[in-house]
Amino acid sequence: RMDVNTDGLNDYVSVVGSPVSGVATFARSPNANATLVNPGWVVSGLDTSMNFNGVSTVNDAGTLKTYVVGENRTILVFDGTTISTVNSGRGLFRDWMRAAAVPNTSTVYAVGGDGQMMKYDGSSTTSITTGTTELLNGISVVSATDFLIVGLNKTAKRTTNGGTDWSTIDLSSLSGFTALYEVVRSGSTGVITADSGRICLSTNSLGTWSVVQPDTGYTGALFAAGIKDANTFMVGGQTG
């Protein structure tokens, strides 16, 4: 375990380990004031009328690009200098986008309410059926076909064929939480953050899961997770 000094900022909704060594990126949205925090730069007030829920980074020929999704079905991309808006598929999402995953430089996946999921390939946006109507809070994409999504009421599902078929990850035997927020993977390790200060942890390629409370004194929601490798990950929540 390690504690991270985040300069008093709170309510982190997403945190990612970057493809650029040693860089962590955070997104937060307290009081409708979206902020990206990254060692060496802080970008605040991206749109003070809007909350952001998800962040994902990709290394584009040596340039760290950060994609942020949130309210009003908005996707922003920040290249370290310029913030721009990409096609957000407003006709597909009825409300907020809750999480994003960017497996390569030309593809963005996002999930949200009513089990909705979309893919933006750089030119067009398509909907992906998930087989659930639960609010989806998190997504992990490791390839063009392998996705893991999580949400309310212990919803956790995986597809290995790009969304054609989904299998349920059964967490019903685990106790102490209800809502799932973010999911990250590295090698055989999977981490899902939850409410009540819990995380779900798998160390055998998502085969079996256990529930862990990293800090027994903390019982708030853990909204965010970032993973560096199979042995190193970080989580964040309501108190930063």
Side-chain angles (χ1 to χ4, degrees), residues 2-40:
M2 65 178 179
D3 294 319
V4 179
N5 181 355
T6 50
D7 299 325
L9 302 178
N10 55 19
D11 288 352
Y12 286 99
V13 293
S14 192
V15 54
V16 291
S18 155
V20 178
S21 177
V23 176
T25 303
F26 302 84
R28 71 176 183 123
S29 57
N31 304 318
N33 180 19
T35 305
L36 293 176
V37 182
N38 186 300

Side-chain angles (χ1 to χ4, degrees), residues 165-213:
D165 302 291
W166 293 85
S167 59
T168 297
I169 296 175
D170 186 5
L171 303 176
S172 60
S173 64
L174 304 182
S175 60
F177 66 95
T178 300
L180 304 176
Y181 291 108
E182 189 156 21
V183 54
V184 291
R185 287 184 285 173
S186 178
S188 61
T189 299
V191 178
I192 304 174
T193 63
D195 56 11
S196 302
R198 265 67 170 183
I199 65 172
C200 298
L201 176 65
S202 174
T203 58
N204 60 355
S205 300
L206 315 185
T208 58
W209 294 81
S210 60
V211 62
V212 180
Q213 188 174 10

Side-chain angles (χ1 to χ4, degrees), residues 7 9 17-18 24 35 42 52 58 76 80-81 104 114 145 154 173 182 222 240:
D7 299 325
L9 302 178
S18 155
T35 305
V42 174
F52 292 94
V58 64
L76 300 179
T81 303
N104 56 57
D114 301 322
T145 57
K154 297 185 180 180
S173 64
E182 189 156 21
L222 291 171

Side-chain angles (χ1 to χ4, degrees), residues 50-222:
M50 191 176 299
N51 290 296
F52 292 94
N53 294 312
V55 59
S56 186
T57 61
V58 64
N59 188 350
D60 185 1
T63 298
L64 176 66
K65 287 189 176 179
T66 303
Y67 289 82
V68 185
V69 301
E71 192 177 1
N72 296 329
R73 299 153 292 183
T74 299
I75 302 177
L76 300 179
V77 58
F78 177 60
D79 63 6
T81 303
T82 304
I83 300 170
S84 57
T85 302
V86 301
N87 185 331
S88 60
R90 291 177 182 267
L92 298 179
F93 275 72
R94 288 184 288 277
D95 196 2
W96 292 23
M97 294 178 181
R98 296 283 177 172
V102 186
N104 56 57
T105 58
S106 61
T107 307
V108 182
Y109 292 91
V111 293
D114 301 322
Q116 292 178 296
M117 179 176 175
M118 59 146 265
K119 173 186 177 182
Y120 175 66
D121 64 5
S123 60
S124 62
T125 307
T126 55
S127 178
I128 297 175
T129 300
T130 62
T132 182
T133 57
E134 294 286 357
L135 171 64
L136 297 174
N137 292 315
I139 177 173
S140 171
V141 176
V142 296
S143 73
T145 57
D146 190 353
F147 315 148
L148 184 61
I149 56 176
V150 299
L152 295 188
N153 295 314
K154 297 185 180 180
T155 298
K157 306 190 76 173
R158 183 185 185 185
T159 179
T160 57
N161 58 10
T164 301
D165 302 291
W166 293 85
S167 59
T168 297
I169 296 175
D170 186 5
L171 303 176
S172 60
S173 64
L174 304 182
S175 60
F177 66 95
T178 300
L180 304 176
Y181 291 108
E182 189 156 21
V183 54
V184 291
R185 287 184 285 173
S186 178
S188 61
T189 299
V191 178
I192 304 174
T193 63
D195 56 11
S196 302
R198 265 67 170 183
I199 65 172
C200 298
L201 176 65
S202 174
T203 58
N204 60 355
S205 300
L206 315 185
T208 58
W209 294 81
S210 60
V211 62
V212 180
Q213 188 174 10
D215 184 343
T216 56
Y218 177 76
T219 58
L222 291 171

